PDB file of all heavy atoms in Angstrom:
ATOM      1  N   THR C 219      -2.381   8.543   0.443  1.00 96.00           N
ATOM      2  CA  THR C 219      -3.428   8.066  -0.447  1.00 96.00           C
ATOM      3  C   THR C 219      -4.021   6.796   0.048  1.00 96.00           C
ATOM      4  O   THR C 219      -3.389   5.768   0.134  1.00 96.00           O
ATOM      5  CB  THR C 219      -2.765   7.801  -1.833  1.00 96.00           C
ATOM      6  OG1 THR C 219      -2.122   8.946  -2.335  1.00 96.00           O
ATOM      7  CG2 THR C 219      -3.850   7.379  -2.842  1.00 96.00           C
ATOM      8  N   ARG C 222      -7.050   1.968  -1.200  1.00 91.00           N
ATOM      9  CA  ARG C 222      -7.642   0.754  -0.729  1.00 91.00           C
ATOM     10  C   ARG C 222      -7.399   0.541   0.804  1.00 91.00           C
ATOM     11  O   ARG C 222      -8.373   0.756   1.531  1.00 91.00           O
ATOM     12  CB  ARG C 222      -7.002  -0.479  -1.442  1.00 91.00           C
ATOM     13  CG  ARG C 222      -7.839  -1.024  -2.613  1.00 91.00           C
ATOM     14  CD  ARG C 222      -6.998  -1.995  -3.432  1.00 91.00           C
ATOM     15  NE  ARG C 222      -5.939  -1.385  -4.009  1.00 91.00           N
ATOM     16  CZ  ARG C 222      -5.992  -0.744  -5.234  1.00 91.00           C
ATOM     17  NH1 ARG C 222      -7.053  -0.694  -5.874  1.00 91.00           N
ATOM     18  NH2 ARG C 222      -4.903  -0.087  -5.734  1.00 91.00           N
ATOM     19  N   TYR C 241      -4.005   8.141 -11.787  1.00 97.00           N
ATOM     20  CA  TYR C 241      -3.935   6.751 -11.215  1.00 97.00           C
ATOM     21  C   TYR C 241      -5.306   6.219 -10.901  1.00 97.00           C
ATOM     22  O   TYR C 241      -6.116   6.806 -10.184  1.00 97.00           O
ATOM     23  CB  TYR C 241      -3.066   6.767  -9.992  1.00 97.00           C
ATOM     24  CG  TYR C 241      -2.996   5.410  -9.430  1.00 97.00           C
ATOM     25  CD1 TYR C 241      -2.114   4.445  -9.899  1.00 97.00           C
ATOM     26  CD2 TYR C 241      -3.833   4.931  -8.356  1.00 97.00           C
ATOM     27  CE1 TYR C 241      -2.062   3.149  -9.433  1.00 97.00           C
ATOM     28  CE2 TYR C 241      -3.847   3.707  -7.922  1.00 97.00           C
ATOM     29  CZ  TYR C 241      -2.957   2.759  -8.473  1.00 97.00           C
ATOM     30  OH  TYR C 241      -2.950   1.457  -7.989  1.00 97.00           O
TER      31      TYR C 241
ATOM     32  P    DG Q   6      -1.127  -1.002  -7.885  1.00 83.03           P
ATOM     33  OP1  DG Q   6      -1.978  -0.124  -8.738  1.00 83.03           O
ATOM     34  OP2  DG Q   6      -0.276  -2.051  -8.457  1.00 83.03           O
ATOM     35  O5'  DG Q   6      -0.222  -0.091  -7.030  1.00 83.03           O
ATOM     36  C5'  DG Q   6      -0.634   0.611  -5.809  1.00 83.03           C
ATOM     37  C4'  DG Q   6       0.523   1.132  -5.121  1.00 83.03           C
ATOM     38  O4'  DG Q   6       0.000   1.659  -3.957  1.00 83.03           O
ATOM     39  C3'  DG Q   6       1.523   0.161  -4.680  1.00 83.03           C
ATOM     40  O3'  DG Q   6       2.689   0.875  -4.315  1.00 83.03           O
ATOM     41  C2'  DG Q   6       0.951  -0.427  -3.463  1.00 83.03           C
ATOM     42  C1'  DG Q   6       0.112   0.689  -2.935  1.00 83.03           C
ATOM     43  N9   DG Q   6      -1.206   0.311  -2.555  1.00 83.03           N
ATOM     44  C8   DG Q   6      -1.815  -0.878  -2.740  1.00 83.03           C
ATOM     45  N7   DG Q   6      -3.078  -0.929  -2.234  1.00 83.03           N
ATOM     46  C5   DG Q   6      -3.218   0.291  -1.691  1.00 83.03           C
ATOM     47  C6   DG Q   6      -4.334   0.828  -0.994  1.00 83.03           C
ATOM     48  O6   DG Q   6      -5.399   0.325  -0.788  1.00 83.03           O
ATOM     49  N1   DG Q   6      -4.159   2.181  -0.629  1.00 83.03           N
ATOM     50  C2   DG Q   6      -3.021   2.849  -0.865  1.00 83.03           C
ATOM     51  N2   DG Q   6      -3.019   4.096  -0.409  1.00 83.03           N
ATOM     52  N3   DG Q   6      -1.946   2.376  -1.484  1.00 83.03           N
ATOM     53  C4   DG Q   6      -2.143   1.109  -1.881  1.00 83.03           C
ATOM     54  P    DG Q   7       4.082   0.355  -4.733  1.00 83.03           P
ATOM     55  OP1  DG Q   7       5.170   1.241  -4.269  1.00 83.03           O
ATOM     56  OP2  DG Q   7       3.941   0.120  -6.212  1.00 83.03           O
ATOM     57  O5'  DG Q   7       4.126  -1.088  -4.036  1.00 83.03           O
ATOM     58  C5'  DG Q   7       4.321  -1.143  -2.614  1.00 83.03           C
ATOM     59  C4'  DG Q   7       5.534  -2.079  -2.270  1.00 83.03           C
ATOM     60  O4'  DG Q   7       5.082  -3.431  -2.484  1.00 83.03           O
ATOM     61  C3'  DG Q   7       6.750  -1.763  -3.057  1.00 83.03           C
ATOM     62  O3'  DG Q   7       7.796  -1.849  -2.134  1.00 83.03           O
ATOM     63  C2'  DG Q   7       6.790  -2.888  -4.109  1.00 83.03           C
ATOM     64  C1'  DG Q   7       5.990  -3.972  -3.393  1.00 83.03           C
ATOM     65  N9   DG Q   7       5.176  -4.812  -4.312  1.00 83.03           N
ATOM     66  C8   DG Q   7       4.476  -4.395  -5.357  1.00 83.03           C
ATOM     67  N7   DG Q   7       3.806  -5.295  -5.971  1.00 83.03           N
ATOM     68  C5   DG Q   7       4.271  -6.476  -5.337  1.00 83.03           C
ATOM     69  C6   DG Q   7       3.993  -7.857  -5.575  1.00 83.03           C
ATOM     70  O6   DG Q   7       3.278  -8.357  -6.435  1.00 83.03           O
ATOM     71  N1   DG Q   7       4.690  -8.704  -4.687  1.00 83.03           N
ATOM     72  C2   DG Q   7       5.456  -8.246  -3.663  1.00 83.03           C
ATOM     73  N2   DG Q   7       6.044  -9.186  -2.936  1.00 83.03           N
ATOM     74  N3   DG Q   7       5.811  -7.005  -3.409  1.00 83.03           N
ATOM     75  C4   DG Q   7       5.155  -6.167  -4.289  1.00 83.03           C
ATOM     76  P    DT Q   8       9.366  -1.488  -2.585  1.00 83.03           P
ATOM     77  OP1  DT Q   8      10.030  -0.979  -1.395  1.00 83.03           O
ATOM     78  OP2  DT Q   8       9.254  -0.681  -3.852  1.00 83.03           O
ATOM     79  O5'  DT Q   8       9.957  -2.891  -2.953  1.00 83.03           O
ATOM     80  C5'  DT Q   8      10.187  -3.751  -1.864  1.00 83.03           C
ATOM     81  C4'  DT Q   8      10.422  -5.114  -2.321  1.00 83.03           C
ATOM     82  O4'  DT Q   8       9.391  -5.646  -3.187  1.00 83.03           O
ATOM     83  C3'  DT Q   8      11.759  -5.297  -3.119  1.00 83.03           C
ATOM     84  O3'  DT Q   8      12.470  -6.296  -2.386  1.00 83.03           O
ATOM     85  C2'  DT Q   8      11.288  -5.922  -4.429  1.00 83.03           C
ATOM     86  C1'  DT Q   8       9.994  -6.599  -4.067  1.00 83.03           C
ATOM     87  N1   DT Q   8       9.042  -6.741  -5.138  1.00 83.03           N
ATOM     88  C2   DT Q   8       8.531  -8.042  -5.316  1.00 83.03           C
ATOM     89  O2   DT Q   8       8.882  -8.927  -4.664  1.00 83.03           O
ATOM     90  N3   DT Q   8       7.660  -8.130  -6.348  1.00 83.03           N
ATOM     91  C4   DT Q   8       7.137  -7.152  -7.191  1.00 83.03           C
ATOM     92  O4   DT Q   8       6.373  -7.399  -7.997  1.00 83.03           O
ATOM     93  C5   DT Q   8       7.772  -5.826  -6.925  1.00 83.03           C
ATOM     94  C7   DT Q   8       7.266  -4.720  -7.719  1.00 83.03           C
ATOM     95  C6   DT Q   8       8.612  -5.747  -5.942  1.00 83.03           C
TER      96       DT Q   8
END
Side-chain angles (χ1 to χ4, degrees):
Chain C
T219 303
R222 261 168 297 274
Y241 180 82

